[in-house]
Structure formats: structure tokens, C-alpha cells
Amino acid sequence: MKVENEKTRYSDIELKEFKELLLDKLSSAKEELNALATSLSSPNANGTDDTAGTYKTLEDGSATLEKEQINQLAARQKKFIEQLEAALVRIENKTYGICRETGKLIPKERLRAVPHTTLTMEAKLKQ
């Protein structure tokens, strides 16, 4: 009776499929980051320049809060882009899809849902 060896890494064909998925996500993420950067650099376009001074303070506070939220979104987006780029490096190194905790292959379904992950659900739930 022959014991079938458990797969220790994804094949080059499978890695190519994941690379295409990652590149697509990376492109979308960079577009979104550019949109956030554009919205941060553009002046307040609410057309409130001619309103009474009593509303100016409220507008300034609202604009500041909005800029803070956009900055937070941009920071998260940058982190996401870094994670996607790190996943592309793992593809080149042929270590993509291997859990950094257990050493087991991360299931394809999980990688399709979260292509930048480095953990199996088993390891993630232990955190």
C-alpha cells in the first residue's frame, strides 16, 4: 500500500494563478489609494466659502474629521498594498501559501478570499 505524500507547496501553475489574483488586487488597491490621496489634496469642494462665519467653525471641524478618516483609510490601504507585495515576493520564492505557524499549506479557498494571508485558519484562531 503506497502512502501518498502530502503536498508541501503549490505548483508553479497554481502560483501563477495566485500571482494574477494578487496583481489584480494590487492594481485595484493602488487605484483606491490614489483616489484617497487625490481627495486629501483637493480643497474643500462643498462650496461653503460664502456662508456666514458662524458655520465656518463647524465646517472646519467636519473637514478635519473627514481628513483624519481619509488618512486612516489611506494608511490601511498602504498596509494592504505592502502585504500584497510581500505575497508576490513569497510567490517568487515559492513559499506562497505555506502557513508561517504550522508549515502546512493554506487551503486555496482561504487564499482566494484573503490572498495576502500567511496563516491557516487553524493558526489564525489560536492567536
Side-chain angles (χ1 to χ4, degrees):
M1 211 165 127
K2 185 180 175 187
V3 177
E4 195 173 310
N5 288 340
E6 193 173 311
K7 217 167 138 175
T8 57
R9 77 168 190 90
Y10 285 109
S11 71
D12 290 349
I13 293 167
E14 290 166 317
L15 290 176
K16 185 178 182 218
E17 175 190 331
F18 286 121
K19 184 176 183 176
E20 289 170 9
L21 174 68
L22 284 163
L23 288 172
D24 186 46
K25 292 240 185 222
L26 187 60
S27 174
S28 298
K30 285 182 177 180
E31 284 176 25
E32 193 171 322
L33 181 60
N34 286 337
L36 289 169
T38 301
S39 70
L40 274 174
S41 64
S42 65
N44 188 0
N46 292 337
T48 56
D49 294 339
D50 59 350
T51 56
T54 54
Y55 297 109
K56 186 80 174 126
T57 306
L58 290 173
E59 283 295 322
D60 287 347
S62 177
T64 300
L65 180 63
E66 186 177 345
K67 281 198 183 272
E68 284 177 14
Q69 289 173 334
I70 292 171
N71 271 323
Q72 286 178 340
L73 287 171
R76 286 184 68 191
Q77 199 63 16
K78 283 179 187 173
K79 184 178 178 185
F80 181 55
I81 288 169
E82 288 169 6
Q83 291 171 331
L84 290 172
E85 288 171 342
L88 287 169
V89 169
R90 290 193 303 277
I91 282 179
E92 294 305 313
N93 296 338
K94 300 188 188 304
T95 59
Y96 179 79
I98 300 169
C99 178
R100 64 183 161 87
E101 291 289 321
T102 65
K104 296 177 183 175
L105 271 187
I106 300 169
K108 282 185 180 184
E109 299 77 36
R110 175 152 170 75
L111 289 171
R112 285 190 185 108
V114 188
H116 58 283
T117 189
T118 59
L119 297 170
T120 59
M121 278 308 297
E122 171 190 350
K124 180 76 175 166
L125 292 172
K126 284 182 183 175
Q127 283 187 331

